[in-house]
Every structure is written in C-alpha cells, then in structure tokens.
Amino acid sequence: MTTDAPTDETLAVAVLTLGCARNEVDSEELAGRLAAGGFRLVPDAEDADTVVVNTCGFVEAAKKDSVDALLEAADLKVSGRPQAVVAVGCLAERYGKDLAASLPEADAVLGFDDYPDIAARLRSIVAGETHQAHTPQDRRKLLPISPVDRQAAAPPPVATPRARLETGPMAPLKLASGCDRRCTFCAIPAFRGSFLSRRPTDVLDEARWLAGEGVREVFLVSENSTSYGKDLGDIRLLETLLPEVGAIEGIDRVRVSYLQPAEIRPGLLEAIAETPGVAAYYDLSFQHASASVLRRMRRFGDPDSFLGLLDRVRSLRPEAGVRSNVIVGFPGETEDDLQTLCDFLETARLDVTGVFGYSDEEGTAAADFDDKLDEDEVAERVAHVTALVEELTSQRAEERAGEELLVLVEDLDDDGEAGGPVGRAAHQGPEVDGTTVLTGAGAGALRIGDLVPARVVGNDGADLVAEITGESR
C-alpha cells in the first residue's frame, strides 16, 4: 500500500457522480474549480491521486449505491494509485460527521460549504491532514423566508466555468437549486435549502459555453422548475427565458425538467409547446392520483385536475411527451386509493412512469405518520403498479407508430435486437424515458451528435425503432 502523497504538484483527480442530472452539474462545477486549482482531471479512479465521489442522498437504494461507490474507490488505495477518497454531494451534506464516523474508509466528508475551496481542501487531505466533517443543519434556514429577499443573501455565483466530464451532445444545465415545497415524504429541501433561481444571464452564458463545447441539447434541471423566477420578482421568467436559450446558435433542443402540476401556468404550457427549439416534453410530478393520499403528502390534485392538465398539453401538442413518478404504499393508502391511481394511469397514457415504493426518510413528516403499510404489502403494490405501467408504456409507444421524429444520435451501437445507432426523440428525456434505434439507408454513416429525421416503425416497451427518412444535420 502506498502511503506517501505524490510530490508532483499536478495531482490527478477523478470525479464520480451518482444520482440525478443536478448532481452531474454539481460534479462539473467541482471539476472546473479543481482544474482551475491546478488539478488534472482523469476519467478513471485507478488513475487518480484523489477520488471525489459525488453522492446521492434521496432514497435508500441511492444511498446504498453511494456508499458502495465510496467503498470501491477506497479499495483501490490498497493496490492502486489513489491517496485519498472524498465524499461530497447530498449524502455527505445530509449526514456530515455521522457519515464520516460510520464510513472510515472515506478520508473526508465534505459539505456544500466546502465547494468554493475544494482544491485547497483536496490538497490538504492528500497531504494527510485531517478534515473535520460538518454537523448537518437545516439549510432552509440559511436564506430569508421571503423568496424576493434571497438573492442579496445568496452565495455569489460560481466564477469558474464548469469542466465537462461527459462529451455527449446533451448536457444538463442548472436552472435553480433548492425547494420551498414541504412534501411530507421528501427530505431534499432540508439539505438542499430554499429555492434559489440562477440569474438568466448566468443560465444563458453557460448555455452558450455548452454550445461551444458541442452540446446540441440542454436539459434545464432544478428541484422545481415551475418556481423559476419567483425570487427574482418574476414568476413567469421561464416563459421569457426559453426563447432566449432556444435561439442560441448551436443549441437545437431545450428540455425542461420537473414541473409541479399545482404550479403549472397556461403560459408555461404554451411556451414549452410553441417555442422553436423547445422540446414538447412535460415532466409532471404527479406522485399519486388519490386526493386523500395527495393531501397526506402535502400536495394537491386529483384525477380530474390531472387529466384536465394532460388534455391542455395534448391540445397544444398531440405528440408531446409526458412522464411522471408515483409513490405507492404511502401511509394510509387504501385499496380504493390504489385503484384510483391505477385508473388514472390507464386513462392518462403517459409515455413513462417511474414507480417507487414508500419508505421512511428520516427528518420527514411522513416518517411519523400512523397507518403505515408493512414492507411486503408495499412491495406487492409496487409490483402490481409496475406491471401495469410497463404494459401502458408499451401501448403508448405503439401508438406512436408512423410518427415523424427528429432523433439526436447519442451512441452508434445499440445493444438490442434492432441494432444500429441509438438516440432520443423530443419526447424522450435523458436516461429514463427510453431511446430510439435508427434503421435504414444512411444509418451506418451517422455520427454522435447528428439530428436525424425518422419515422417510427416499431417498439420494444418504451424504446422505439425508427426508419431514417431524410438527411441528418
């Protein structure tokens, strides 16, 4: 085992990312700061002097994946090059010193407040200095309660450009951070903080930079994109920002993530549907359909209001993509509630639905609720809804037969039976919404980053097969 830190001042660092697209942006911001601080970025942990693992702290499965990634990186220190393994991200922020005590394999646990000085932190850790992990706090208390008072009290924006860790033609772009909602099942606001919009000039500058890096699709991400601008004095700011992002030279597609149904405005629906370059894609966070379950979740809605929202979307763009997530087995969920959810899903014709079983998250109101279902019952309900969703998703994909698409090529070799280049159409979000395999004349000449017109000729679940109908661009 190597114990001495490298004498070369140019230390190599690998940044490993778990979790959501927002974490991907955080990792690239950290990478930019590290590069500016004299570190050399490398893609593989075994080639690094220090490994930074950007963790996820959202649900139990994600926490386990994060811990496993930290342990795997720590194992490399036994026979490989790494001198230090450092935990950052949501799990590190959420648990701080408790994570450090329970995971001695990690050389340090850094919180969000360490990010501005990340290069200096890593140098000291590689040199053998001990870092005292932070005591977690409710980050909602760090900014004023009133959104319009937050910008003056917020930390300054990142001055150093992010460094791309992935080279594909799509990149997430952070629209805002934090969340003001108080959903009873969610701990994110406590460790991500109150909602804080990025200024439009910063968003546009970063979008132009991404275009210069070869990005053709930007994915606007946040914990709640429908709230964008409320702390800047204009709740409709997203409607005016979208055309500006879509007009940037080199950006061919703009996609918006995570829309709260209770906050949706007609003008935002129209802006997404009608703005040139913006994907007709609606990531609607329904979470359930039973009004009584939603009230216990501290959310709002019912089947009629949700179906009415979907009708408005499809009246604007019949081919629009719609995805959502639902939580099954929430405390107090009855058989009738479950049936209400299933009936809604059958009528809604969503392109993709993520199904999650409820589990207690410490620090949330729901963790103290009565009427909890046992784990076996939750698992049975998850299996039931998942099977239904898989059938409905496949049916929805079948309905797209003959539809004309514009596909962004992301890989030249599909692993499925169809073979050929694979990418995503406008209704398919990154990683979670299925892909489109391209076939026909010209498929062999395509390159990653090409935009290709094609017609749907088949499907495998949510994944489509489409025949090329024209020249790529």
Side-chain angles (χ1 to χ4, degrees), residues 301-357:
D302 53 46
D304 288 343
S305 64
F306 290 165
L307 291 173
L309 173 58
L310 293 172
D311 285 344
R312 293 196 296 276
V313 166
R314 288 165 177 153
S315 69
L316 293 167
R317 293 289 292 273
E319 81 285 8
V322 184
R323 81 166 327 272
S324 192
N325 297 309
V326 296
I327 297 174
V328 178
F330 193 77
E333 182 190 68
T334 65
E335 291 283 355
D336 287 344
D337 292 326
L338 184 66
Q339 189 59 52
T340 296
L341 173 61
C342 292
D343 291 344
F344 164 73
L345 292 173
E346 289 183 11
T347 306
R349 295 171 46 248
L350 305 178
D351 289 275
V352 176
T353 305
V355 181
F356 297 89

Side-chain angles (χ1 to χ4, degrees), residues 49-118:
D49 299 308
T50 180
V51 181
V52 176
V53 181
N54 190 358
T55 61
C56 179
F58 181 41
V59 293
E60 286 304 318
K63 296 176 193 175
K64 182 181 183 302
D65 288 344
S66 295
V67 170
D68 288 346
L70 285 162
L71 293 174
E72 289 175 11
D75 284 344
L76 293 174
K77 294 193 296 180
V78 176
S79 58
R81 174 172 175 169
Q83 302 295 304
V85 173
V86 176
V88 299
C90 291
L91 191 71
E93 175 63 36
R94 185 175 181 183
Y95 295 105
K97 64 178 184 179
D98 291 335
L99 179 63
S102 63
L103 196 69
E105 292 86 353
D107 296 281
V109 173
L110 303 183
F112 296 155
D113 291 336
D114 291 304
Y115 284 13
D117 300 315
I118 187 69

Side-chain angles (χ1 to χ4, degrees), residues 124-292:
S124 67
I125 293 163
V126 172
E129 296 180 21
T130 300
H131 176 82
Q132 297 298 323
H134 65 285
T135 299
Q137 59 181 321
D138 187 339
R139 297 190 69 87
R140 290 171 294 190
K141 299 177 180 178
L142 301 182
L143 290 174
I145 294 176
S146 173
V148 295
D149 294 330
R150 289 178 189 160
Q151 291 290 329
V158 178
T160 306
R162 61 195 265 197
R164 292 209 71 197
L165 299 174
E166 301 290 340
T167 57
M170 184 285 300
L173 174 55
K174 190 184 295 182
L175 195 63
S177 60
C179 184
D180 286 342
R181 302 191 71 87
R182 295 295 183 265
C183 302
T184 57
F185 57 82
C186 184
I188 288 176
F191 59 85
R192 276 290 187 181
S194 298
F195 187 87
L196 187 68
S197 302
R198 294 184 69 195
R199 292 190 175 276
T201 51
D202 295 332
V203 174
L204 292 167
D205 286 346
E206 190 163 314
R208 294 186 189 99
W209 177 79
L210 289 169
E213 294 289 307
V215 170
R216 302 193 73 172
E217 176 182 321
V218 292
F219 188 26
L220 300 178
V221 298
S222 73
E223 279 78 16
N224 179 8
S225 297
T226 32
S227 281
Y228 180 72
K230 70 178 186 179
D231 51 321
L232 295 170
D234 185 358
I235 192 60
R236 294 178 176 81
L237 193 55
L238 184 55
E239 287 97 302
T240 58
L241 179 65
L242 286 175
E244 295 185 74
V245 180
I248 292 173
E249 185 176 357
I251 300 298
D252 294 280
R253 181 184 290 164
V254 182
R255 187 182 304 277
V256 183
S257 74
Y258 211 83
L259 304 171
Q260 281 284 351
E263 296 181 28
I264 287 284
R265 307 172 294 278
L268 180 56
L269 292 182
E270 293 166 5
I272 293 174
E274 299 171 357
T275 302
V278 175
Y281 174 83
Y282 296 83
D283 178 9
L284 298 169
S285 175
F286 290 128
Q287 301 299 352
H288 211 281
S290 164
S292 61

